[in-house]
PDB file of all heavy atoms in Angstrom:
ATOM      1  N   PRO S1237       4.360  -3.857  13.285  1.00  0.00           N
ATOM      2  CA  PRO S1237       3.139  -4.323  12.627  1.00  0.00           C
ATOM      3  C   PRO S1237       3.422  -5.498  11.695  1.00  0.00           C
ATOM      4  O   PRO S1237       4.555  -5.699  11.248  1.00  0.00           O
ATOM      5  CB  PRO S1237       2.656  -3.095  11.853  1.00  0.00           C
ATOM      6  CG  PRO S1237       3.867  -2.247  11.674  1.00  0.00           C
ATOM      7  CD  PRO S1237       4.743  -2.509  12.856  1.00  0.00           C
ATOM      8  N   GLU S1238       2.385  -6.268  11.392  1.00  0.00           N
ATOM      9  CA  GLU S1238       2.548  -7.510  10.643  1.00  0.00           C
ATOM     10  C   GLU S1238       3.193  -7.299   9.277  1.00  0.00           C
ATOM     11  O   GLU S1238       4.089  -8.054   8.884  1.00  0.00           O
ATOM     12  CB  GLU S1238       1.194  -8.201  10.476  1.00  0.00           C
ATOM     13  CG  GLU S1238       0.718  -8.929  11.718  1.00  0.00           C
ATOM     14  CD  GLU S1238       1.520 -10.199  11.980  1.00  0.00           C
ATOM     15  OE1 GLU S1238       1.459 -11.129  11.148  1.00  0.00           O
ATOM     16  OE2 GLU S1238       2.206 -10.247  13.005  1.00  0.00           O
ATOM     17  N   ALA S1239       2.737  -6.315   8.535  1.00  0.00           N
ATOM     18  CA  ALA S1239       3.300  -6.101   7.199  1.00  0.00           C
ATOM     19  C   ALA S1239       4.798  -5.826   7.279  1.00  0.00           C
ATOM     20  O   ALA S1239       5.585  -6.346   6.480  1.00  0.00           O
ATOM     21  CB  ALA S1239       2.589  -4.941   6.498  1.00  0.00           C
ATOM     22  N   GLU S1240       5.202  -5.028   8.251  1.00  0.00           N
ATOM     23  CA  GLU S1240       6.622  -4.721   8.430  1.00  0.00           C
ATOM     24  C   GLU S1240       7.401  -5.962   8.830  1.00  0.00           C
ATOM     25  O   GLU S1240       8.519  -6.205   8.348  1.00  0.00           O
ATOM     26  CB  GLU S1240       6.787  -3.625   9.477  1.00  0.00           C
ATOM     27  CG  GLU S1240       8.231  -3.189   9.666  1.00  0.00           C
ATOM     28  CD  GLU S1240       8.385  -2.085  10.693  1.00  0.00           C
ATOM     29  OE1 GLU S1240       7.364  -1.445  11.044  1.00  0.00           O
ATOM     30  OE2 GLU S1240       9.516  -1.868  11.165  1.00  0.00           O
ATOM     31  N   LYS S1241       6.819  -6.764   9.704  1.00  0.00           N
ATOM     32  CA  LYS S1241       7.476  -7.997  10.143  1.00  0.00           C
ATOM     33  C   LYS S1241       7.819  -8.889   8.960  1.00  0.00           C
ATOM     34  O   LYS S1241       8.961  -9.359   8.821  1.00  0.00           O
ATOM     35  CB  LYS S1241       6.565  -8.746  11.114  1.00  0.00           C
ATOM     36  CG  LYS S1241       7.029 -10.164  11.419  1.00  0.00           C
ATOM     37  CD  LYS S1241       5.991 -10.924  12.233  1.00  0.00           C
ATOM     38  CE  LYS S1241       6.365 -12.393  12.368  1.00  0.00           C
ATOM     39  NZ  LYS S1241       5.350 -13.152  13.142  1.00  0.00           N
ATOM     40  N   TRP S1242       6.851  -9.125   8.082  1.00  0.00           N
ATOM     41  CA  TRP S1242       7.083 -10.058   6.976  1.00  0.00           C
ATOM     42  C   TRP S1242       8.021  -9.469   5.929  1.00  0.00           C
ATOM     43  O   TRP S1242       8.857 -10.178   5.367  1.00  0.00           O
ATOM     44  CB  TRP S1242       5.753 -10.472   6.349  1.00  0.00           C
ATOM     45  CG  TRP S1242       4.874 -11.211   7.302  1.00  0.00           C
ATOM     46  CD1 TRP S1242       3.657 -10.813   7.785  1.00  0.00           C
ATOM     47  CD2 TRP S1242       5.157 -12.469   7.931  1.00  0.00           C
ATOM     48  NE1 TRP S1242       3.169 -11.744   8.664  1.00  0.00           N
ATOM     49  CE2 TRP S1242       4.058 -12.768   8.773  1.00  0.00           C
ATOM     50  CE3 TRP S1242       6.224 -13.359   7.869  1.00  0.00           C
ATOM     51  CZ2 TRP S1242       4.009 -13.929   9.546  1.00  0.00           C
ATOM     52  CZ3 TRP S1242       6.172 -14.517   8.634  1.00  0.00           C
ATOM     53  CH2 TRP S1242       5.080 -14.792   9.455  1.00  0.00           C
ATOM     54  N   LEU S1243       7.898  -8.178   5.666  1.00  0.00           N
ATOM     55  CA  LEU S1243       8.789  -7.573   4.686  1.00  0.00           C
ATOM     56  C   LEU S1243      10.226  -7.518   5.213  1.00  0.00           C
ATOM     57  O   LEU S1243      11.170  -7.738   4.448  1.00  0.00           O
ATOM     58  CB  LEU S1243       8.291  -6.174   4.320  1.00  0.00           C
ATOM     59  CG  LEU S1243       6.984  -6.153   3.503  1.00  0.00           C
ATOM     60  CD1 LEU S1243       6.501  -4.720   3.303  1.00  0.00           C
ATOM     61  CD2 LEU S1243       7.166  -6.843   2.156  1.00  0.00           C
ATOM     62  N   ARG S1244      10.397  -7.244   6.490  1.00  0.00           N
ATOM     63  CA  ARG S1244      11.749  -7.273   7.061  1.00  0.00           C
ATOM     64  C   ARG S1244      12.325  -8.690   6.996  1.00  0.00           C
ATOM     65  O   ARG S1244      13.518  -8.877   6.727  1.00  0.00           O
ATOM     66  CB  ARG S1244      11.727  -6.779   8.505  1.00  0.00           C
ATOM     67  CG  ARG S1244      11.571  -5.277   8.637  1.00  0.00           C
ATOM     68  CD  ARG S1244      11.837  -4.802  10.052  1.00  0.00           C
ATOM     69  NE  ARG S1244      11.659  -3.360  10.166  1.00  0.00           N
ATOM     70  CZ  ARG S1244      12.557  -2.460   9.805  1.00  0.00           C
ATOM     71  NH1 ARG S1244      13.705  -2.855   9.286  1.00  0.00           N
ATOM     72  NH2 ARG S1244      12.319  -1.169   9.941  1.00  0.00           N
ATOM     73  N   GLN S1245      11.489  -9.676   7.256  1.00  0.00           N
ATOM     74  CA  GLN S1245      11.958 -11.054   7.182  1.00  0.00           C
ATOM     75  C   GLN S1245      12.395 -11.396   5.760  1.00  0.00           C
ATOM     76  O   GLN S1245      13.435 -12.035   5.557  1.00  0.00           O
ATOM     77  CB  GLN S1245      10.841 -12.006   7.622  1.00  0.00           C
ATOM     78  CG  GLN S1245      11.240 -13.473   7.584  1.00  0.00           C
ATOM     79  CD  GLN S1245      10.192 -14.350   8.245  1.00  0.00           C
ATOM     80  OE1 GLN S1245       9.826 -14.118   9.402  1.00  0.00           O
ATOM     81  NE2 GLN S1245       9.698 -15.339   7.534  1.00  0.00           N
ATOM     82  N   ALA S1246      11.616 -10.955   4.772  1.00  0.00           N
ATOM     83  CA  ALA S1246      11.963 -11.228   3.380  1.00  0.00           C
ATOM     84  C   ALA S1246      13.277 -10.560   2.997  1.00  0.00           C
ATOM     85  O   ALA S1246      14.133 -11.172   2.342  1.00  0.00           O
ATOM     86  CB  ALA S1246      10.839 -10.757   2.464  1.00  0.00           C
ATOM     87  N   VAL S1247      13.465  -9.302   3.413  1.00  0.00           N
ATOM     88  CA  VAL S1247      14.688  -8.562   3.073  1.00  0.00           C
ATOM     89  C   VAL S1247      15.897  -9.167   3.786  1.00  0.00           C
ATOM     90  O   VAL S1247      16.994  -9.248   3.214  1.00  0.00           O
ATOM     91  CB  VAL S1247      14.520  -7.074   3.432  1.00  0.00           C
ATOM     92  CG1 VAL S1247      15.845  -6.334   3.314  1.00  0.00           C
ATOM     93  CG2 VAL S1247      13.480  -6.426   2.518  1.00  0.00           C
ATOM     94  N   THR S1248      15.713  -9.606   5.012  1.00  0.00           N
ATOM     95  CA  THR S1248      16.819 -10.190   5.773  1.00  0.00           C
ATOM     96  C   THR S1248      17.272 -11.513   5.159  1.00  0.00           C
ATOM     97  O   THR S1248      18.467 -11.771   5.014  1.00  0.00           O
ATOM     98  CB  THR S1248      16.407 -10.410   7.236  1.00  0.00           C
ATOM     99  OG1 THR S1248      16.086  -9.149   7.826  1.00  0.00           O
ATOM    100  CG2 THR S1248      17.532 -11.060   8.029  1.00  0.00           C
ATOM    101  N   LYS S1249      16.314 -12.344   4.801  1.00  0.00           N
ATOM    102  CA  LYS S1249      16.652 -13.660   4.267  1.00  0.00           C
ATOM    103  C   LYS S1249      17.104 -13.598   2.811  1.00  0.00           C
ATOM    104  O   LYS S1249      17.849 -14.473   2.354  1.00  0.00           O
ATOM    105  CB  LYS S1249      15.444 -14.594   4.389  1.00  0.00           C
ATOM    106  CG  LYS S1249      15.137 -15.001   5.819  1.00  0.00           C
ATOM    107  CD  LYS S1249      14.043 -16.057   5.869  1.00  0.00           C
ATOM    108  CE  LYS S1249      13.824 -16.539   7.294  1.00  0.00           C
ATOM    109  NZ  LYS S1249      12.780 -17.589   7.368  1.00  0.00           N
ATOM    110  N   ARG S1250      16.667 -12.578   2.103  1.00  0.00           N
ATOM    111  CA  ARG S1250      17.055 -12.455   0.701  1.00  0.00           C
ATOM    112  C   ARG S1250      17.359 -10.990   0.398  1.00  0.00           C
ATOM    113  O   ARG S1250      16.554 -10.272  -0.190  1.00  0.00           O
ATOM    114  CB  ARG S1250      15.936 -12.993  -0.200  1.00  0.00           C
ATOM    115  CG  ARG S1250      16.362 -13.181  -1.647  1.00  0.00           C
ATOM    116  CD  ARG S1250      15.327 -13.994  -2.390  1.00  0.00           C
ATOM    117  NE  ARG S1250      15.297 -15.368  -1.924  1.00  0.00           N
ATOM    118  CZ  ARG S1250      14.334 -16.248  -2.220  1.00  0.00           C
ATOM    119  NH1 ARG S1250      13.321 -15.866  -2.970  1.00  0.00           N
ATOM    120  NH2 ARG S1250      14.384 -17.479  -1.776  1.00  0.00           N
ATOM    121  N   PRO S1251      18.549 -10.516   0.782  1.00  0.00           N
ATOM    122  CA  PRO S1251      18.889  -9.097   0.635  1.00  0.00           C
ATOM    123  C   PRO S1251      18.859  -8.594  -0.805  1.00  0.00           C
ATOM    124  O   PRO S1251      18.730  -7.390  -1.022  1.00  0.00           O
ATOM    125  CB  PRO S1251      20.312  -9.017   1.212  1.00  0.00           C
ATOM    126  CG  PRO S1251      20.448 -10.221   2.074  1.00  0.00           C
ATOM    127  CD  PRO S1251      19.626 -11.287   1.441  1.00  0.00           C
ATOM    128  N   GLN S1252      18.992  -9.491  -1.774  1.00  0.00           N
ATOM    129  CA  GLN S1252      19.001  -9.068  -3.174  1.00  0.00           C
ATOM    130  C   GLN S1252      17.602  -8.996  -3.782  1.00  0.00           C
ATOM    131  O   GLN S1252      17.464  -8.760  -4.988  1.00  0.00           O
ATOM    132  CB  GLN S1252      19.861 -10.033  -4.000  1.00  0.00           C
ATOM    133  CG  GLN S1252      21.306 -10.114  -3.540  1.00  0.00           C
ATOM    134  CD  GLN S1252      21.986  -8.762  -3.546  1.00  0.00           C
ATOM    135  OE1 GLN S1252      21.905  -8.022  -4.519  1.00  0.00           O
ATOM    136  NE2 GLN S1252      22.663  -8.422  -2.459  1.00  0.00           N
ATOM    137  N   ASP S1253      16.570  -9.218  -2.990  1.00  0.00           N
ATOM    138  CA  ASP S1253      15.197  -9.170  -3.493  1.00  0.00           C
ATOM    139  C   ASP S1253      14.796  -7.708  -3.664  1.00  0.00           C
ATOM    140  O   ASP S1253      14.486  -7.011  -2.696  1.00  0.00           O
ATOM    141  CB  ASP S1253      14.256  -9.876  -2.514  1.00  0.00           C
ATOM    142  CG  ASP S1253      12.833 -10.043  -3.060  1.00  0.00           C
ATOM    143  OD1 ASP S1253      12.391  -9.173  -3.837  1.00  0.00           O
ATOM    144  OD2 ASP S1253      12.179 -11.046  -2.703  1.00  0.00           O
ATOM    145  N   ALA S1254      14.810  -7.241  -4.897  1.00  0.00           N
ATOM    146  CA  ALA S1254      14.553  -5.824  -5.167  1.00  0.00           C
ATOM    147  C   ALA S1254      13.133  -5.429  -4.789  1.00  0.00           C
ATOM    148  O   ALA S1254      12.904  -4.328  -4.270  1.00  0.00           O
ATOM    149  CB  ALA S1254      14.806  -5.527  -6.643  1.00  0.00           C
ATOM    150  N   GLU S1255      12.158  -6.318  -5.048  1.00  0.00           N
ATOM    151  CA  GLU S1255      10.766  -5.970  -4.750  1.00  0.00           C
ATOM    152  C   GLU S1255      10.526  -5.874  -3.252  1.00  0.00           C
ATOM    153  O   GLU S1255       9.857  -4.952  -2.780  1.00  0.00           O
ATOM    154  CB  GLU S1255       9.805  -6.983  -5.370  1.00  0.00           C
ATOM    155  CG  GLU S1255       8.350  -6.599  -5.177  1.00  0.00           C
ATOM    156  CD  GLU S1255       7.395  -7.493  -5.961  1.00  0.00           C
ATOM    157  OE1 GLU S1255       7.432  -7.440  -7.206  1.00  0.00           O
ATOM    158  OE2 GLU S1255       6.624  -8.234  -5.319  1.00  0.00           O
ATOM    159  N   ALA S1256      11.070  -6.813  -2.481  1.00  0.00           N
ATOM    160  CA  ALA S1256      10.916  -6.750  -1.025  1.00  0.00           C
ATOM    161  C   ALA S1256      11.552  -5.479  -0.467  1.00  0.00           C
ATOM    162  O   ALA S1256      10.999  -4.823   0.430  1.00  0.00           O
ATOM    163  CB  ALA S1256      11.526  -7.993  -0.379  1.00  0.00           C
ATOM    164  N   THR S1257      12.720  -5.126  -0.985  1.00  0.00           N
ATOM    165  CA  THR S1257      13.411  -3.910  -0.557  1.00  0.00           C
ATOM    166  C   THR S1257      12.564  -2.678  -0.831  1.00  0.00           C
ATOM    167  O   THR S1257      12.406  -1.795   0.026  1.00  0.00           O
ATOM    168  CB  THR S1257      14.764  -3.789  -1.289  1.00  0.00           C
ATOM    169  OG1 THR S1257      15.572  -4.929  -0.977  1.00  0.00           O
ATOM    170  CG2 THR S1257      15.495  -2.521  -0.882  1.00  0.00           C
TER     171      THR S1257
END
Side-chain angles (χ1 to χ4, degrees):
E1238 283 288 296
E1240 183 179 344
K1241 169 188 172 181
W1242 297 116
L1243 290 175
R1244 285 192 181 280
Q1245 180 170 305
V1247 170
T1248 298
K1249 289 187 175 181
R1250 192 167 291 167
Q1252 300 303 312
D1253 188 328
E1255 184 172 294
T1257 300

